[in-house]
Amino acid sequence: MKTKLTTLTLSLIFGITGSSALFALESLRGDEPLTAESSRPDKFRQEVVEGGFDRSYEKQPPLIPHKIEKYHISLRQNGCLKCHSRKTAERENAKPTPESHFITRDGKRLNRLSTRRYFCNQCHVPQMNATPLVQNVFEGD
Amino acid sequence: MTESAKKKSTLIILLIGIFLGIIFWGGFNTAMEMTNTEAFCISCHEMEENVYEEYTDTIHYMNRTGVRATCPDCHVPREWVHKVVRKIQATNELYHKIVGTIDTPEKFEARRFELAKHVWKTMKRTDSRECRNCHDYEYMDFDKQEFRSAERHEEAFEQFEEHGAARDAGLTCIDCHKGIAHRLPEEYDPEKDIPGESIYYDD
């Protein structure tokens, strides 16, 4: 009897939440039928900020405050190092890659960038002037 | 021959001379112009498959306003004398085309550093003349530029004003703008190319 009741309640709960989720379901295309042409997405511009963005928490990888379309990161070349390597940064008025970027995951200090930091925009990203699709309530310290 | 007949024949020879001159001159200049187009440059697959492909990904190929810089704009001088000199040098490319120095992507990559260094040296020597055909510090609106650009350009421009030419002060467009149209060679190391201390113009 008890199990029956639980099953019933459970299925009721799932039924309700499931169906309400079903009604709330909306694709990124909105109500447009699949066969129609999708509407043009809004255009956004990158935010270019002198002096850089404030960080939201201590160990946040700082956001990129400048354009980066011109710089390629490939097996052969890392365009970011033109200005952010130890030797070039001062001349370019940029900050060099910090100490943390030379340390391997086993804690060894290398003389060159650690490979896990090679692809800069895995962690450092530019910002668009778009309104967030989802509110972010994270509070850093 | 009578005096008047002599005069007549001189006149005719002169006219024929002028006529032929115009044709050759015209033909010469047409040939110069025909070989000064992007279509001509990429008629060689060596040029098309590597450097052209990369260039189509850059701002000088496609941008907001549709104003372009094509291969000869950056690589062939505009002034007549310099242009003829470059064309004569270019016959060297013909030789390498025939012997196939860079006829595969692998061969091209292996030689890219050499070729790039030739171009860098030339641009350094001419104070980036071809860039300055279109760009001029004097008409740059530093307010409209990104802060990074404005900062460095003001610095370079001041030197330019002081010395009359950027070349005396040491800094010109190519010092800070390598790799704007094509991928950089593998051997390129930015730490050896700090503006003013670059080793890439040495022989």
Side-chain angles (χ1 to χ4, degrees), chain B:
Chain B
M1 225 190 264
T2 61
E3 198 55 26
S4 75
K6 228 183 197 171
K7 250 193 199 150
K8 223 183 197 167
S9 54
T10 331
L11 197 73
I12 287 170
I13 290 170
L14 197 72
L15 279 177
I16 292 175
I18 291 174
F19 182 67
L20 286 180
I22 288 173
I23 290 190
F24 281 136
W25 179 246
F28 181 65
N29 267 350
T30 314
M32 289 276 277
E33 255 157 50
M34 264 169 49
T35 55
N36 227 21
T37 60
E38 186 174 281
F40 171 74
C41 303
I42 59 175
S43 66
C44 282
H45 71 99
E46 285 93 337
M47 299 287 108
E48 184 177 10
E49 278 161 20
N50 308 295
V51 276
Y52 174 74
E53 282 293 328
E54 295 158 5
Y55 149 78
T56 56
D57 205 19
T58 71
I59 194 154
H60 286 105
Y61 178 77
M62 194 187 256
N63 56 54
R64 184 176 60 89
T65 52
V67 183
R68 291 182 57 201
T70 61
C71 329
D73 288 326
C74 287
H75 290 295
V76 185
R78 274 198 200 159
E79 291 84 4
W80 201 84
V81 180
H82 297 305
K83 194 182 339 193
V84 174
V85 170
R86 176 65 178 91
K87 294 283 172 186
I88 294 167
Q89 282 168 354
T91 48
N92 165 54
E93 292 178 28
L94 255 144
Y95 163 75
H96 285 285
K97 165 80 185 172
I98 293 163
V99 299
T101 314
I102 52 168
D103 62 2
T104 66
E106 292 75 24
K107 283 192 195 168
F108 186 85
E109 281 313 326
R111 194 156 160 75
R112 189 196 286 262
F113 190 41
E114 272 315 303
L115 302 180
K117 276 198 288 190
H118 293 168
V119 179
W120 292 332
K121 269 183 222 160
T122 311
M123 289 194 177
K124 180 73 176 169
R125 196 177 58 236
T126 62
D127 191 5
S128 313
R129 181 180 51 215
E130 276 65 63
C131 312
R132 291 184 296 107
N133 277 338
C134 295
H135 297 272
D136 192 333
Y137 287 135
E138 199 138 355
Y139 301 101
M140 283 184 183
D141 185 343
F142 294 140
D143 282 341
K144 290 224 168 81
Q145 291 190 347
E146 232 187 275
F147 57 91
R148 291 180 308 159
S149 327
E151 220 169 40
R152 304 306 304 284
H153 290 157
E154 271 177 270
E155 185 188 313
F157 182 44
E158 265 166 38
Q159 294 177 345
F160 183 80
E161 291 262 272
E162 258 173 53
H163 299 268
R167 122 182 95 226
D168 300 329
L171 290 192
T172 178
C173 317
I174 199 63
D175 281 312
C176 304
H177 290 293
K178 293 191 180 67
I180 46 159
H182 320 290
R183 295 291 157 85
L184 286 161
E186 188 169 7
E187 296 88 340
Y188 175 81
D189 176 359
E191 299 199 344
K192 299 192 176 121
D193 187 40
I194 298 171
E197 298 159 31
S198 173
I199 61 161
Y200 292 128
Y201 311 116
D202 307 340
D203 286 300

Side-chain angles (χ1 to χ4, degrees), chain A residues 84-113:
Chain A
H84 289 289
S85 87
R86 289 268 144 134
K87 287 213 183 98
T88 59
E90 195 193 334
R91 191 64 208 252
E92 302 288 346
N93 308 323
K95 287 180 193 154
T97 43
E99 197 54 31
S100 58
H101 291 38
F102 294 81
I103 299 183
T104 65
R105 73 179 171 179
D106 311 319
K108 257 186 41 207
R109 167 72 164 79
L110 303 176
N111 282 328
R112 49 176 174 78
L113 270 184

Side-chain angles (χ1 to χ4, degrees), chain A residues 61-124:
Chain A
L63 296 164
I64 304 176
H66 56 68
K67 298 264 173 120
I68 55 167
E69 290 92 341
K70 279 203 289 280
Y71 316 129
H72 295 279
I73 302 179
S74 70
L75 212 56
R76 294 192 279 138
Q77 287 293 336
N78 184 329
C80 310
L81 297 180
K82 168 88 182 125
C83 305
H84 289 289
S85 87
R86 289 268 144 134
K87 287 213 183 98
T88 59
E90 195 193 334
R91 191 64 208 252
E92 302 288 346
N93 308 323
K95 287 180 193 154
T97 43
E99 197 54 31
S100 58
H101 291 38
F102 294 81
I103 299 183
T104 65
R105 73 179 171 179
D106 311 319
K108 257 186 41 207
R109 167 72 164 79
L110 303 176
N111 282 328
R112 49 176 174 78
L113 270 184
S114 166
T115 41
R116 59 183 186 150
R117 304 282 186 166
Y118 187 76
F119 295 100
C120 316
N121 40 18
Q122 207 178 324
C123 304
H124 298 283

